[in-house]
Amino acid sequence: MAEFGSPRVGATAKEIARAVRRGDASATRVVADHLDHLGRADSVVSAFRVVRAAAAAAEAEKVDQQPDLGNLPLAGVPVAVKDNTAVAGVVTGNGSRAAAAGVADADDEVVRRLRGAGAVIVGTTRMPELGLWAVTDSDDAAVRNPWRTDRTAGGSSGGAAAAVAAGIVPLAQGNDGLGSVRIPAACCGVVGVKPGHGVLPAREDDAWYGLVEHGVLATTVADAALGLDVLSGARPTPLRQPGRLRVAVSMRAPAVGVWPDAGNRTALADAARALVDAGHDTALADPPYPGSLRTGALWTAVAHRAVAALGVAPAHLQPRSRWHAAVGGVLERWGLAGEDAQRRWRVGAADFFGGGFDILLTPVLAGSPPPAAGWAGRSWLANVAASARLAPYPGVWNVAGLPALSVPVGIRPDGIPGAVQLVGPAGSERTLLAVAGQLELLRPWRRHAPTFPRTDARLAGP
């Protein structure tokens, strides 16, 4: 797959929207070209559960007919939505045959906001069952990493990350309960943003103890910021330079006995040097992480609660999910996933940032993405071990309710992009994005995987 085949495919969301608003390109042609590329690329990566080809084409025509194109920040931009987020007329699958919620009567609020900004929803992306795992596969497909198709795209927003990294869409919606946007973003070399609690519309259910936040995945910081503005209902505005910041750098993992491999250590060191070059002050400092057993107990407890909320018969779930939920029920009854532990960590995290640091820099992953095959049929212990080893860093920040993002840095020895996590206090989303923009400037990354290499596309023609 040597070329995208169209100058419209591979462009950023901002470039596409600008061209459609100016009349240099039509939403109809943009979406048609992306659907054409989707048909080829998704045969490789299996990112999509549902493709809305006919519906997306009709909706693109309606965008072209709108008299107020100039006011649409995502005019004609093809966007993907995660399988657990309602899109009217599409089954909300939740990554599960057993837990599918049926055809949605109406759009989720974040989908409504995307459409209101002029975006066209081309389909829904795959996720692991109930969003529980850091690998995205199911009984019928495994989402493959566009950088190395023998490896997983991560999870649980793995389909979203693969779709962006393969150039199928420039922007995707995901959601993040214990790292589910940042983990696949790191695996696939794209930007993944999880805002702090209350910034975006909340999910309708509380099965995840309020941990889940909607987020965005994109190939550039500017696109990620634009997507976050649209989802939050804010007027899109350029990012400002953040000024001189005090940056804590920490390699320590929240999970006991886990240490990042050489590729992730190199990415962290390179990012820290870049931030010094950008004028920031850095110092080694570890947050007062909660006990890893508490976080693990919470991970299982949300499975127990999600199964109950969806009314699923546990016997119909994949074995790994069934065991996860069963263990979670026991641990929840023992009080190991209670509000007291969460509250103490939220106070500790706030004190960490209030005690002298503006942002925190950590790895996202501790190891390399595992193989993209067979996890849905493997044991509970195998899945728990793979997910815990891969990504111990992101989940605690959902419990803290603080904003965090993943940004690509360099290439690992295995040929997959490296990544780092930026975390900040409440309300620091735009500061984190601005710092990520500095990393993008000082350590620019390839926007799409080499399997899909046309990354310098610019729009031309209607």
Side-chain angles (χ1 to χ4, degrees):
M1 198 171 298
E3 295 287 342
F4 279 146
S6 165
R8 301 167 182 85
V9 178
T12 68
K14 293 193 74 170
E15 289 169 342
I16 290 171
R18 185 184 305 117
V20 171
R21 288 195 299 266
R22 291 177 176 176
D24 296 332
S26 69
T28 303
R29 186 70 263 167
V30 167
V31 169
D33 287 349
H34 279 80
L35 287 169
D36 184 60
H37 178 55
L38 186 157
R40 296 189 302 273
D42 205 46
S43 66
V44 178
V45 297
S46 299
F48 282 82
R49 190 188 69 81
V50 173
V51 178
R52 303 177 67 249
E59 290 165 15
E61 291 182 8
K62 292 181 180 178
V63 171
D64 286 327
Q65 295 166 4
Q66 290 198 32
D68 62 342
L69 273 178
N71 296 319
L72 299 179
L74 292 177
V77 176
V79 172
V81 171
K82 190 174 176 180
D83 186 35
N84 62 354
T85 303
V87 176
V90 177
V91 171
T92 307
N94 292 304
S96 172
R97 293 179 180 176
V103 176
D105 294 327
D107 289 333
D108 185 276
E109 176 61 19
V110 294
V111 176
R112 189 189 68 79
R113 292 183 182 188
L114 288 168
R115 291 191 197 274
V120 177
I121 312 302
V122 297
T124 55
T125 54
R126 294 185 186 273
M127 56 181 283
E129 189 165 57
L130 303 178
L132 295 174
W133 310 105
V135 293
T136 297
D137 63 353
S138 59
D139 299 328
D140 62 345
V143 179
R144 298 184 177 275
N145 193 317
W147 287 83
R148 273 192 57 172
T149 55
D150 63 326
R151 301 293 183 89
T152 182
S156 67
S157 303
V164 172
I168 299 173
V169 291
L171 188 70
Q173 173 269 348
N175 38 56
D176 189 314
L178 289 169
S180 291
V181 164
R182 290 158 289 157
I183 295 167
C187 289
C188 294
V190 300
V191 180
V193 181
K194 179 202 82 71
H197 187 66
V199 172
L200 299 186
R203 285 178 53 79
E204 294 178 359
D205 64 76
D206 65 350
W208 279 67
Y209 292 88
L211 301 176
V212 179
E213 305 293 344
H214 289 293
V216 295
L217 301 98
T219 63
T220 68
V221 173
D223 274 5
L226 174 60
L228 190 62
D229 282 342
V230 167
L231 293 188
S232 68
R235 180 182 178 85
T237 55
L239 294 171
R240 296 181 179 178
Q241 290 299 306
R244 187 170 183 170
L245 300 175
R246 300 159 297 173
V247 182
V249 180
S250 176
M251 198 175 294
R252 178 194 162 201
V256 175
V258 178
W259 188 251
D261 65 6
N264 286 295
R265 294 196 304 270
T266 298
L268 184 70
D270 194 20
R273 286 192 295 269
L275 294 185
V276 171
D277 292 342
H280 302 301
D281 299 317
T282 62
L284 298 176
D286 296 328
Y289 289 127
S292 57
L293 290 178
R294 291 280 185 178
T295 306
L298 187 60
W299 177 26
T300 63
V302 297
H304 173 71
R305 292 180 58 148
V307 169
L310 291 167
V312 181
H316 296 158
L317 294 170
Q318 297 165 0
R320 59 177 179 175
S321 305
R322 183 167 63 248
W323 275 99
H324 209 61
V327 171
V330 173
L331 297 182
E332 188 174 43
R333 286 194 296 274
W334 289 352
L336 294 179
E339 275 292 323
D340 287 345
Q342 297 178 48
R343 191 178 301 110
R344 286 193 298 271
W345 162 233
R346 286 194 289 268
V347 171
D351 288 346
F352 177 78
F353 288 109
F357 293 108
D358 298 303
I359 62 172
L360 169 68
L361 176 70
T362 78
V364 182
L365 308 178
S368 179
W375 291 101
R378 297 186 68 179
S379 72
W380 172 68
L381 284 175
N383 276 273
V384 167
S387 292
R389 283 197 303 263
L390 175 62
Y393 294 93
V396 292
W397 301 108
N398 295 80
V399 181
L402 299 181
L405 60 83
S406 174
V407 59
V409 178
I411 300 293
R412 298 164 41 91
D414 57 13
I416 294 172
V420 295
Q421 178 177 234
L422 295 172
V423 187
S428 65
E429 285 83 3
R430 293 189 69 82
T431 298
L432 295 177
L433 284 163
V435 173
Q438 292 178 320
L439 286 175
E440 184 177 18
L441 180 65
L442 293 170
R443 301 292 190 272
W445 54 80
R446 183 168 187 150
R447 290 181 42 241
H448 300 107
T451 311
F452 313 91
R454 189 165 184 178
T455 62
D456 58 348
R458 294 293 183 271
L459 295 176

